[in-house]
Amino acid sequence: IMVRGRKSKEKKLKKKIYIFTEGYTEKNYFKILSRKYNLSSSVNIEIKPEVVGKSGISLLKHAVSKLQKLSKAEKAILGSAYIIFDKDDLSDVDVEEVIVESKKEGINIGFSNECFEVWLVAHFEKPNPSFTKKKLYKKMETHLSCTQYERFHKDNEELLKVHLEDRVSSAVENCKEFGKFNQTQIKVTPYTNIGQIVKEIFDQKIY
């Protein structure tokens, strides 16, 4: 009886998922989805997005350091951890180093080339090779009905929520042809595996 009691108690423990991001746009996006899906999902997931203003290997090192400092109780309910970063000005070698080191640490990668807006624009249209960062920002202005997106609206959580929250299924569909993230994907532009990451984390039948 005691064993059964422990098992039933263990089932109720919430598994926490840690997400480390390099900017507020990514943090806000995952906050929006965690609120959207946790309300209707039977899976108990707590998102801990943290903006650290770092990219690539420094972001990974920060994540590893934070996870190592978790208490024994916190580690017992650790589900998985993710770092979310962009290609931006990182070299291919820099990104390859992150892939190798994150695998050693058991940390998953959410990667976009050349920026997270590849994924955000995918909520409205299918990414294509003409999508430079400048063009993506312009498209965000069109789709969010705003001006100077990069300067004034990248960190606007409410604006993202209003326009993107109900379009996640479209983004997943528009990015389904992107392969899983590995060394061969580093040079692909545009590229994002955020759709795969969203499916891993939230595990919904309908997005």
Side-chain angles (χ1 to χ4, degrees), residues 139-151:
K139 284 187 171 291
M140 288 299 290
E141 291 173 0
T142 300
H143 294 309
L144 302 186
S145 301
C146 67
T147 56
Q148 299 191 64
Y149 165 78
E150 182 180 14
R151 187 174 179 185

Side-chain angles (χ1 to χ4, degrees), residues 132-169:
T132 60
K133 181 185 282 191
K134 188 175 180 180
K135 189 167 184 178
L136 285 164
Y137 286 167
K138 278 291 181 187
K139 284 187 171 291
M140 288 299 290
E141 291 173 0
T142 300
H143 294 309
L144 302 186
S145 301
C146 67
T147 56
Q148 299 191 64
Y149 165 78
E150 182 180 14
R151 187 174 179 185
F152 297 119
H153 300 290
K154 269 178 70 69
D155 301 341
N156 189 329
E157 182 181 345
E158 186 57 33
L159 194 63
L160 289 182
K161 181 179 185 297
V162 168
H163 291 279
L164 302 183
E165 187 177 42
D166 296 327
R167 295 177 175 269
V168 181
S169 58

Side-chain angles (χ1 to χ4, degrees), residues 7 13 15 17 20-21 49 84 88-89 97 108 127 148 172 176 195:
K7 280 186 177 178
L13 287 176
K15 286 290 184 182
I17 292 177
F20 299 89
T21 74
I84 310 295
D88 284 329
D89 299 322
E97 182 184 7
N108 304 292
Q148 299 191 64
V172 170
K176 69 179 182 180

Side-chain angles (χ1 to χ4, degrees), residues 44-77:
N44 292 312
I45 298 176
E46 182 176 332
I47 303 295
K48 288 207 165 190
E50 182 169 345
V51 178
V52 297
K54 299 177 182 178
S55 184
I57 201 69
S58 60
L59 178 63
L60 175 62
K61 287 178 178 177
H62 175 86
V64 170
S65 175
K66 293 287 286 188
L67 294 172
Q68 286 175 341
K69 291 174 183 175
L70 294 178
S71 68
K72 190 174 181 181
E74 288 171 326
K75 287 179 180 176
I77 56 171

Side-chain angles (χ1 to χ4, degrees), residues 15-19 45-48 78-82 201:
K15 286 290 184 182
K16 289 187 180 179
I17 292 177
Y18 287 78
I19 301 176
I45 298 176
E46 182 176 332
I47 303 295
K48 288 207 165 190
L78 173 61
S80 53
Y82 294 81
I201 292 172

Side-chain angles (χ1 to χ4, degrees), residues 93-122:
V93 173
D94 288 338
V95 179
E96 285 177 9
E97 182 184 7
V98 180
I99 293 173
V100 172
E101 294 302 318
S102 64
K103 195 169 185 179
K104 289 180 186 175
E105 299 292 346
I107 293 177
N108 304 292
I109 294 175
F111 176 80
S112 300
N113 189 2
E114 71 187 276
C115 59
F116 190 68
E117 279 71 19
V118 173
W119 170 249
L120 299 185
V121 169

